[in-house]
Amino acid sequence: MSTVDIQQVTKTYGEVYALDQVSLTFADREFFGLLGPSGSGKTTLLRSIAGFVTPTMGQILVDGADVSRIPTYKRDVGMVFQNYALFPHMTVFENIAYPLSVRKTKSAEIKSRVERILDLVQLGGYGSRRPRELSGGQQQRVALARALVSRPRVLLLDEPLGALDRNLRQHMQIELRQIQREVGITTILVTHDQEEALTLSDRIAIFRQGKVVQVGRPDDVYENPRDAFSAEFFGSTNFLKGVSLGVQGGIGAVELPDGTRIFTNRALPHSGSSVTLTVRPEKVLIHREQQPAGTSGSQWNILPANVIQPVYMGASVTYQVSTPPSTFSVFQQNRETRRFEAGEAVKISWLPQHTVVLDD
Ligand code: ADP
Ligand code: MG
């Protein structure tokens, strides 16, 4: 059982608020992703949990006890960083054993624990190798094993897969998730890679300039971004600006500058307020006909558009289209659907439930 409770944590460096009143609770055994652009405070939060950074204000509780002012070695956390510095002159076994050796664990106990953890990260039999005799992914697993061997209460991962190439990174993501489930350890992962956050996390928090913008399950944050920053940072998206006409019979309407009405079944600010809407590219259909195939078109938002550029990506095609004053990105699965050329006049359409209303 390990929960981590971040209460109103602020960390300043001179004028800079690296963390600005951050409150978050990580549940027992949860895999939690911290996502945000460079400089948004993710590493500072992780280092505060580890004890390398002392918050200017606020508390950090592990299993209900305030650890904010306790030194790192008493906090019982395991850590893996992007440049997982293994000791080059030590063998894999010695690297992993290191945290136990410094705690003066008996050598028989060290041996059995290291061997068990080597099996867990699928490196049984590699104990006598040196780090340089391993691939990047294997070295990464050694670093993970070293972080786990002392059975910490919390595992902190700071862009641990950042140095690996794409294929290996995807493979390691799956392995990391399996190992985390098997060990059942509360894990906090820092990443700027949205796909990684989606694949691994039970919940995520989106950071911006030291503040948490949004917290939730990845699918919830993706489908219901709170503001333009969240929408754009966590997936690509399209924006429209207009004026609220209010909600009638459960359907809200927003008028675009040219008088076109966009419908949504989400809450809208009161009539006359300016609003920003967003629609994900994969919710949008592109077609020649007046309405999407097989529908009467009655419920759909339909806009005329011109294809600027099709971007062929094998499994899919992404169209950049212009629908003044906006530019839209439309994602189309590469089924037997018709393809469109640059310059072609088309219609784009989507359902009211996919028009997301953002906070300004
Ligand atoms: P992230 O991990 O999201 O990229 P960081 O937590 O590393 O962001 O940094 C957040 C902000 O705090 C940045 O503006 C960074 O420059 C600043 N910062 C972090 N550590 C220090 C430090 N030791 N001294 C001065 N400024 C720092
Ligand atoms: Mg960082």
Side-chain angles (χ1 to χ4, degrees), residues 13 16-18 36-45 158 190:
Y13 292 105
V16 176
Y17 280 76
S38 178
S40 57
K42 309 178 299 292
T43 293
T44 304
L45 181 60
D158 196 350
V190 164

Side-chain angles (χ1 to χ4, degrees), residues 178-238:
Q178 270 168 2
I179 291 167
Q180 190 263 350
R181 285 226 175 92
E182 234 167 289
V183 181
I185 187 173
T186 308
T187 300
I188 307 169
L189 168 79
V190 164
T191 179
H192 63 265
D193 179 343
Q194 43 152 313
E195 198 180 294
E196 187 161 293
L198 265 172
T199 317
L200 286 169
S201 312
D202 298 312
R203 285 192 303 153
I204 60 166
I206 298 199
F207 278 67
R208 181 189 195 186
Q209 295 177 349
K211 287 196 167 77
V212 174
V213 182
Q214 191 166 0
V215 182
R217 280 178 25 191
D219 55 343
D220 185 37
V221 174
Y222 185 80
E223 303 294 338
N224 307 296
R226 184 170 295 163
D227 62 10
F229 179 83
S230 245
E232 223 169 7
F233 194 77
F234 201 46
S236 57
T237 200
N238 300 298

Side-chain angles (χ1 to χ4, degrees), residues 119-133:
D119 285 340
L120 182 75
V121 298
Q122 294 178 19
L123 286 175
Y126 283 72
S128 59
R129 295 216 192 174
R130 311 266 163 189
R132 71 180 131 75
E133 295 167 328

Side-chain angles (χ1 to χ4, degrees), residues 20 43 47 95 97 99 122 149 162 180-181 187 212-213 241 285 287 291 298 309 315 326-327 334:
D20 191 357
T43 293
R47 292 173 68 84
N95 264 282
Q122 294 178 19
V149 76
Q180 190 263 350
R181 285 226 175 92
T187 300
V212 174
V213 182
K241 279 182 185 293
L285 301 180
H287 41 95
Q291 62 233 15
S298 63
Q309 183 173 265
S326 310
T327 301
N334 194 3

Side-chain angles (χ1 to χ4, degrees), residues 283-298 300-307 319 321 330-332 337-341 344-351:
K283 313 290 193 205
V284 184
L285 301 180
I286 178 168
H287 41 95
R288 251 269 177 78
E289 303 71 23
Q290 185 54 38
Q291 62 233 15
T295 75
S296 69
S298 63
W300 292 72
N301 291 299
I302 303 175
L303 294 177
N306 266 288
V307 176
Y319 292 97
V321 306
V330 179
F331 176 93
Q332 188 186 49
T337 36
R338 184 178 174 313
R339 301 244 295 272
F340 301 89
E341 310 290 332
E344 224 179 312
V346 293
K347 299 279 189 291
I348 56 170
S349 56
W350 67 92
L351 287 165

